[in-house]
Amino acid sequence: METSAHGTSPLIELGINIDHVATLRQARRTFEPDPVVAAALAEQGGADGITFHLREDRRHIQERDVELLMATVTVKTNMEFGCAQEIVDIACKAAPTWGLLVPEHREEVTTEGGLDVAADQGRVAAAIQQLKEHNILVSLFIDADPHQVEAAAKLGADAVELHTGPYALATRDAVSLELKRLTEAGQVTTELGMRLHAGHGLNYTNVRPVARIPDMIELNIGHSVMSRAMMVGMREAVAEMRRIIDVCCP
Ligand code: PXP
């Protein structure tokens, strides 16, 4: 068994969310940058999974991306979506490794809050059933609340992805409080036989304590890695354009 640097636990799987690459492309409605190419590069960098969110409003990922990602990604695919029937049908046709159910509101900038599994059982249960009929593993994005974890287990989820947004936004004493919430919800998750995933707002400085939560299996990270990619690539990208222009000048 491979081990992590901090003990004998297995290495944590890193899912890379490539939505923001599509956000940049859609800002110009052009062909670049292509999230499918970004996914291939993320794989080369060591991603264990590629996460993409097909929103009802198609603000970033398009159906064309879903089709090409499914045809080219060689690691796990984690397709994120709300419970709208149209999107659940597309997911069933695409058949990703994981279907990650999230709440979705048109006005939101990003996913806000976890699914209220306990209150929205009908729609969530119907989506889970349909996904399972297509042999798609189901993960539910929920707040670090034992009641939500229990409701997820009752509906037969294979995993929960704990919402780390409140932890990422916390300051001072609230940080350890949020970490405690995540740890306790994580414990209930594994006791109930589900895989423990987490994500949202994780970055290069706040990820370590979450990676050390017992039984953590997978972290899904997007914004921070995309931001960093832009910065570490900036110098080379500008130098390349400089070289092209320079050879045009005698
Ligand atoms: N997990 C879920 C369910 C998300 O909606 C998102 C954001 O798209 C992420 C993880 C990744 O969050 P971030 O982009 O803040 O790393």
Side-chain angles (χ1 to χ4, degrees):
M1 180 193 284
E2 288 179 298
T3 57
S4 63
H6 54 269
T8 52
S9 58
L11 282 174
I12 290 174
E13 292 172 22
L14 173 60
I16 293 294
N17 181 315
I18 47 148
D19 294 346
H20 287 314
V21 179
T23 302
L24 187 54
R25 177 194 59 193
Q26 294 311 108
R28 284 286 181 93
R29 305 240 189 291
T30 179
F31 61 92
E32 65 177 1
D34 192 329
V36 181
V37 177
L41 293 170
E43 273 194 45
Q44 287 177 12
D48 301 292
I50 300 296
T51 300
F52 47 95
H53 185 173
L54 184 68
R55 282 183 168 268
E56 270 186 276
D57 64 11
R58 308 293 197 276
R59 70 172 71 157
H60 38 54
I61 294 293
Q62 309 294 307
E63 279 162 75
R64 166 264 188 211
D65 302 327
V66 175
E67 281 164 27
L68 288 177
L69 287 165
M70 290 311 305
T72 56
V73 170
T74 66
V75 291
K76 292 177 195 170
T77 44
N78 184 26
M79 182 168 164
E80 180 180 338
F81 45 94
C83 290
Q85 190 59 54
E86 180 220 355
I87 309 286
V88 177
D89 289 344
I90 293 172
C92 287
K93 195 161 160 253
T97 319
W98 285 91
L100 169 59
L101 290 173
V102 296
E104 194 176 301
H105 310 290
R106 278 189 182 251
E107 320 74 48
E108 68 191 359
V109 175
T110 180
T111 312
E112 289 169 2
L115 262 182
D116 192 348
V117 187
D120 201 10
Q121 290 210 4
R123 261 162 44 103
V124 178
I128 292 176
Q129 193 188 338
Q130 195 179 334
L131 292 165
K132 289 197 163 240
E133 280 165 9
H134 288 79
N135 295 321
I136 299 166
L137 293 164
V138 179
S139 173
L140 303 183
F141 183 61
I142 57 170
D143 291 333
D145 170 354
H147 299 296
Q148 295 293 344
V149 177
E150 281 158 15
K154 270 198 197 122
L155 292 184
D158 301 289
V160 298
E161 179 170 316
L162 296 181
H163 188 354
T164 48
Y167 159 78
L169 292 175
T171 54
R172 301 202 181 91
D173 294 351
V175 178
S176 50
L177 194 71
E178 291 299 339
L179 206 51
K180 188 163 171 278
R181 281 204 182 110
L182 288 164
T183 306
E184 286 170 1
Q187 192 181 341
V188 180
T189 301
T190 38
E191 279 168 8
L192 293 173
M194 295 179 290
R195 277 173 57 112
L196 179 59
H197 302 175
H200 215 288
L202 297 177
N203 61 38
Y204 292 82
T205 52
N206 69 14
V207 72
R208 286 184 187 85
V210 178
R212 290 191 178 114
I213 290 176
D215 299 319
M216 185 58 71
I217 293 183
E218 176 179 316
L219 297 177
N220 283 305
I221 309 180
H223 186 85
S224 184
V225 173
M226 297 305 118
S227 306
R228 178 98 181 118
M230 202 176 276
M231 290 302 139
V232 298
M234 187 64 71
R235 193 185 166 112
E236 180 51 29
V238 173
E240 203 178 315
M241 184 59 83
R242 178 79 268 163
R243 285 193 295 272
I244 291 170
I245 293 172
D246 285 353
V247 291
C248 297
C249 307

